[in-house]
Amino acid sequence: MAYTTFNQNNFDATKEPMFFGQPVNVARYDVQKHAIFEQLIEKQLSFFWRPEEVDLSTDRSDFNSLPEHERHIFLSNLKYQTLLDSVQGRSPNVALLPIVSIPELETWIETWSFSETIHSRSYTHIMRNVVAEPGEIFDDIINNDAIVSRATAITRYYDNLIEGVQLLNILGEGEHTINGKTTTVSKRELKKKLYLTLVSVNVLEAIRFYVSFACSFAFAERATMEGNAKIIKLIARDEALHLTGTQHILQLMASGRDDPEMAEIAVELKDEARQIFLDAAAQEKEWAAYLFRDGSMIGLNKDILGQYVEYITGQRMAAVGFDSPFAVKQNPLPWMNSWLNSDHVQVAPQEVEVSSYLVGQIDSDVDSDDFDGFSL
Amino acid sequence: MANIVKIQDAYSFLPRPGETLLEALEGQDIAMEYQCRQGYCGSCQVKLVDGTVEYSEEPLAFVQEGHILPCCCKAKSDITLELPQPIEALQRNASA
């Protein structure tokens, strides 16, 4: 059925597939088909942070003392991150909300996208603090060929899906002539587009983002641009959760537990999905060449970043059940783990953003026996 | 009584009480992959060949069939683990 903002049919949402079932009606979480999504929402909310909490006052002088080629690395990386989050801040909403059919997943998609908008705002916070003219840098994102070419690779699956879903909504399944061109709208074809979109999102979150994190942390590893690294740490914590969400969706699809047709599609598109990982790895290596075109920095160069691309791609492919062609088995950037661990520099809960420090965790079930150990 | 952790094709050891399995493996100078250490990222995933583990909190990450997340569990019986790579590749060089 066509999209409606409040489906007036009386039906059991727990019997619907995650996507392409009936549009959602009541946003209720008392009964859930896949409880994992509500757990992800709760975790994401416990992570809430604002970019302004992070002090960037020393980053400007750090930036000014960087040599020219390192400024190119830093700014290009930041531009790339801005592009990635510009896409992620809207696309899951635009592409997935019209086709989602269970309330807990709908809310997860919204929560997920919202946290990406915090990331986008934090890039502006960083730019404002680091350079005098942030405008020039933002403007370059759509003028810079190296960045624009990656934007196409990232967005084409989303755009394909969005277009197909719009046609389904307006015209329904079947053969249609639009502006003199014959198009076939079929739910199965759209499900294929959805599957490939989710694989490409997983690649974006699990590989592309991590390559950019490596560059951010490489500066901080040398004790420069540390405020920036602190923000990136918070972003990395969110992204780890998002990629878990996408992995769950992909695995639920592949298992056939959610929608048996999706399981067939996952098998049918295995090679194409695997190719998305390999293409992304190749593009990330190209990007590494662009970043380090004017020179390397201490601790990171084109070759090491390329090895990291292969390493992380291999890891991520294994996580969703693909075999990886890459031979790199050891992490070429062993310091990444400790930077990625957002709680690693914990001093005290009130001083740092600690993900396990939850507000409102009070045990109201107190008995007089609980004071037995005390004496006055 | 503590449970024995055996690393497939390598050696066995006794974890210290109170340690998570990830901490125990790190205590053996094995460079384990990790990120969140709270069960939501899935980076530290290893294969459980034999035995059972006990989670302090059910992990959020997607865990493949037959795998466990050592960052948030402990051995409940004697267990055998298969590391993602041969142990020589993961052992931290003491002199480094």
Side-chain angles (χ1 to χ4, degrees):
Chain A
M1 67 185 284
Y3 186 75
T4 166
T5 42
F6 189 83
N7 180 1
Q8 300 196 6
N9 292 346
N10 191 347
F11 69 104
D12 180 356
T14 64
K15 301 273 191 303
E16 295 295 311
M18 291 188 286
F19 296 101
F20 290 115
Q22 300 206 40
V24 188
N25 53 21
V26 182
R28 59 187 283 181
Y29 316 95
D30 58 330
V31 279
Q32 296 182 24
K33 187 175 189 194
H34 300 300
I36 181 70
F37 296 115
E38 199 194 18
Q39 293 164 17
L40 290 168
I41 295 165
E42 279 171 10
K43 196 75 176 171
Q44 182 68 67
L45 293 178
S46 80
F47 286 174
F48 183 78
W49 58 281
R50 285 175 308 144
E52 296 75 18
E53 290 166 13
V54 180
D55 174 38
L56 292 170
S57 52
T58 57
D59 283 47
R60 183 184 287 241
S61 58
D62 284 352
F63 181 78
N64 289 334
S65 52
L66 290 180
E68 196 53 49
H69 71 279
E70 289 191 357
R71 281 191 217 173
H72 164 75
I73 297 167
F74 183 85
L75 288 178
S76 303
N77 190 47
L78 200 51
K79 285 177 203 169
Y80 185 31
Q81 290 169 331
T82 309
L83 166 73
L84 293 178
D85 272 312
S86 303
V87 173
Q88 281 306 91
R90 67 177 72 98
S91 311
N93 282 343
V94 180
L96 306 178
L97 291 183
I99 53 174
V100 72
S101 302
I102 56 175
E104 63 273 23
L105 178 56
E106 181 186 46
T107 309
W108 164 245
I109 292 166
E110 290 169 320
T111 311
W112 161 28
S113 269
F114 167 65
S115 83
E116 308 282 14
T117 66
I118 298 179
H119 305 174
S120 295
R121 290 205 318 107
S122 62
Y123 301 131
T124 300
H125 179 58
I126 296 168
M127 299 276 195
R128 271 185 192 138
N129 277 277
V130 166
V131 293
E133 292 288 345
E136 288 167 18
I137 293 158
F138 284 120
D139 291 346
D140 186 55
I141 294 175
I142 45 165
N143 296 325
N144 181 318
D145 289 339
I147 293 180
V148 170
S149 76
R150 359 193 21 74
T152 314
I154 293 162
T155 54
R156 69 191 174 101
Y157 292 101
Y158 270 129
D159 291 348
N160 256 330
L161 174 65
I162 292 168
E163 190 192 2
V165 170
Q166 283 172 341
L167 293 179
L168 176 74
N169 260 324
I170 300 167
L171 305 165
E173 282 190 281
E175 216 168 83
H176 306 284
T177 309
I178 305 151
N179 294 336
K181 222 179 86 189
T182 310
T183 317
T184 311
V185 179
S186 108
K187 252 194 189 169
R188 192 180 169 96
E189 285 307 308
L190 285 175
K191 284 186 180 180
K192 286 187 187 174
K193 288 186 169 141
L194 168 66
Y195 184 75
L196 293 177
T197 302
L198 288 166
V199 172
S200 129
V201 173
N202 185 240
V203 164
L204 186 158
E205 289 169 335
I207 299 171
R208 298 184 193 274
F209 261 123
Y210 279 73
V211 174
S212 83
F213 296 156
C215 298
S216 305
F217 295 142
F219 283 97
E221 191 63 15
R222 287 169 36 204
T224 179
M225 310 306 292
E226 286 179 302
N228 176 69
K230 201 168 171 201
I231 286 188
I232 298 298
K233 260 181 158 184
L234 293 164
I235 294 178
R237 180 179 68 175
D238 291 339
E239 290 309 329
L241 195 65
H242 302 165
L243 81 89
T244 285
T246 325
Q247 282 175 354
H248 273 291
I249 299 174
L250 286 172
Q251 295 291 346
L252 279 169
M253 286 176 166
S255 72
R257 272 202 297 135
D258 182 71
D259 175 357
E261 196 181 18
M262 267 336 277
E264 290 169 30
I265 288 170
V267 175
E268 198 182 320
L269 296 181
K270 193 159 180 138
D271 290 338
E272 216 171 315
R274 187 169 178 270
Q275 196 57 42
I276 296 178
F277 279 88
L278 301 182
D279 289 347
Q283 288 157 2
E284 291 305 313
K285 281 192 255 179
E286 250 172 62
W287 176 248
Y290 170 77
L291 280 183
F292 298 104
R293 63 174 187 188
D294 302 327
S296 313
M297 52 190 283
I298 298 169
L300 199 60
N301 60 33
K302 174 173 144 288
D303 296 330
I304 301 176
L305 192 59
Q307 284 168 24
Y308 183 72
V309 170
E310 293 193 352
Y311 172 77
I312 195 91
T313 308
Q315 294 266 316
R316 303 314 194 192
M317 289 179 84
V320 284
F322 293 116
D323 54 315
S324 148
F326 301 119
V328 185
K329 298 286 183 208
Q330 260 175 303
N331 189 345
L333 302 175
W335 41 260
M336 273 292 278
N337 287 340
S338 56
W339 281 104
L340 285 170
N341 183 263
S342 52
D343 289 350
H344 222 79
V345 289
Q346 175 183 352
V347 184
Q350 68 274 25
E351 288 173 28
V352 213
E353 304 80 8
V354 184
S355 58
S356 53
Y357 185 72
L358 291 175
V359 177
Q361 299 295 296
I362 295 168
D363 183 2
S364 56
D365 186 19
V366 179
D367 196 83
S368 57
D369 296 348
D370 292 330
F371 297 101
D372 281 355
F374 290 90
S375 59
L376 289 173
Chain B
M1 204 189 73
N3 297 304
I4 298 166
V5 176
K6 178 171 167 39
I7 301 167
Q8 183 100 306
D9 300 324
Y11 58 89
S12 302
F13 67 95
L14 265 183
R16 273 188 293 219
E19 276 180 336
T20 64
L21 200 48
L22 180 62
E23 287 162 350
L25 289 163
E26 287 172 337
Q28 296 294 311
D29 271 340
I30 297 169
M32 294 290 294
E33 203 48 46
Y34 69 87
Q35 180 177 343
C36 72
R37 304 181 82 95
Q38 291 177 40
Y40 64 81
C41 78
S43 306
C44 60
Q45 207 161 134
V46 294
K47 195 168 170 189
L48 180 67
V49 181
D50 190 40
T52 49
V53 295
E54 185 176 30
Y55 284 101
S56 48
E57 204 181 322
E58 251 338 276
L60 286 187
F62 174 78
V63 187
Q64 283 171 285
E65 192 71 29
H67 285 61
I68 53 163
L69 282 186
C71 69
C72 50
C73 73
K74 286 174 189 167
K76 204 178 168 189
S77 66
D78 292 350
I79 58 171
T80 308
L81 300 176
E82 187 188 310
L83 298 180
Q85 290 140 52
I87 191 153
E88 299 76 40
L90 293 172
Q91 215 128 31
R92 287 198 195 102
N93 188 345
S95 62

